[in-house]
Amino acid sequence: MVRLILLLLGVDYLRRRARALIWIGAIFFAFGLALVVDALDGVVHFPIKVFAWLLLLEGLATLAIVGIGVGGQRIVRALKGGTFTIAALLVLFFHQYNGNFWLSMLFGTLFLADGLLQCVAAHVVRYPRWKWAVGGGVLEIAVAIFFYQPYPTHYAGTLPYAIGLGLMFTGWNVLVLAMRARRMRGDFRIEQILGSPQEKRRLWRQRPGAPRWNGPPTDTEPALTVHVWTPSGSAKAPARRHPVIDRYIAAVDKNGVISTGHAALESHEGVYVSLYPAQEIDRSPDQFGQLLRATRENDVPGTFQPNYATESQAWCPSTVKVRIRNYSPQQLAVFWQAYQQNPTYNLTHRNCSSSVAKALEAAIEGRVGKLQNGEDAGWWTFVRLWLTPELWVAAQLRKRAKTMAWTPGLVLDYARAVSMLVDPRPFGWITMSSLAMRRMRRSRRAWREAEQQAAAQQLHDNTVPDAPKH
């Protein structure tokens, strides 16, 4: 999440606030460490009940706006809101030991599932620096074991452990990134700061030359468009229904042929990013497992499509479009000029979806940290971004894609979430509150009108004389 925040705000924004962010990271890390150490003896001084009520409010607020999202946003919001709500209820309304026990099982299971998924995905895909991802997954599994076993507090310190570890990881990430960024030039990108040591040494020697320059945009408004052909929507024959798999990974038609879908990015200025293998890859089930490896033996020649009109006419129109208003044509042009020099295609490491994700991030980097007139957006933008629910959604999607592979389904949900961050809308809970208030006002207006009509009718009945009787 921290890396996504810095990507959206930009290196220039970060460098101006490096000292403050270093202090914030140090305070987060120290406070988290203090919580963990405090809970080791089983005597917890942390106000757990107060935090549980706040956690319950956050969980219920997140669940309340699940219906506003689309696609994967609903799933991630429901998972986050449900986890927060269950954790708060276990603390507030269960016996202390039972609540702490089931809370430990919940946290342990979440860490174990995420760690195993990260290890398996990294081992299968084998993208560059995959061993570091395996190490991170092993660390998550170790944290899960720590939550599962009762030592040293018989589960009494479960919640302080979870909060403390979260603060420590967040503080450490903020510290490392802020300290790196303050030593970098303002024209560097976040991905370059986070790159390998060889990449950073190369950047000191050469200048990359990346100049810098609200609701969805209308069809006539200049915007960046992410085109997605979903796996089931682009299958040549009717696809077999597998709700999650054919949404995010691949669809299998009735003939057993696998369709992974496609993604492309189009700018108003004419840049079109659409990478495809020069020759169709055999995606039969027998060969598909071997193709998942992001190793060099799976690199094949690729080709970039010239424009959307040509591609859609040769194949079919995109299934879904996501349009983003706030982007930098200059940054996208610089990225595209360098990226198109290498047409290599790899099914998991350098595919159509990863190309679109990289182009999208190059185009939006730093756009949130500046106002439309180019002035600094201030600290409130940082706070607002941190509180926006779509940030958490986008961060989880990005993490999953980085540790596995970018797919058209992940790019679609990531682009939708990012569009809510770079083209800010009102907060989800504000939207829900506004809808509720409008409905209440309409109801009160209708009631008043009904009362006024009833009073007028009664007055009319009282003033009109009765008809004479014959």
Side-chain angles (χ1 to χ4, degrees), residues 224-261:
L224 191 70
T225 304
V226 176
H227 297 276
V228 175
W229 290 259
T230 59
S232 57
S234 59
K236 295 181 179 179
R240 303 170 187 171
R241 297 302 299 164
H242 301 90
V244 176
I245 295 177
D246 61 16
R247 175 73 171 82
Y248 291 105
I249 302 176
V252 181
D253 65 18
K254 64 180 183 180
N255 299 321
V257 179
I258 296 175
S259 172
T260 56

Side-chain angles (χ1 to χ4, degrees), residues 340-388:
Q340 65 180 336
Q341 302 303 318
N342 179 12
T344 302
Y345 182 92
N346 185 291
L347 184 61
T348 53
H349 177 55
R350 186 184 168 89
N351 57 25
C352 59
S353 301
S354 65
S355 302
V356 169
K358 291 177 180 178
L360 175 62
E361 292 183 348
I364 65 172
E365 181 172 329
R367 303 303 298 173
V368 178
K370 289 185 178 180
L371 300 175
Q372 292 185 351
N373 59 6
E375 295 182 0
D376 188 273
W379 277 102
W380 167 243
T381 300
F382 182 88
V383 175
R384 177 190 172 85
L385 189 61
W386 192 279
L387 296 177
T388 304

Side-chain angles (χ1 to χ4, degrees), residues 11-12 15 184-189 192 207-212:
V11 177
D12 196 41
R15 289 178 72 247
M184 296 291 182
R185 295 194 304 265
D187 56 352
F188 279 19
R189 295 184 53 231
Q192 295 167 334
R207 182 182 180 87
R212 299 180 194 279

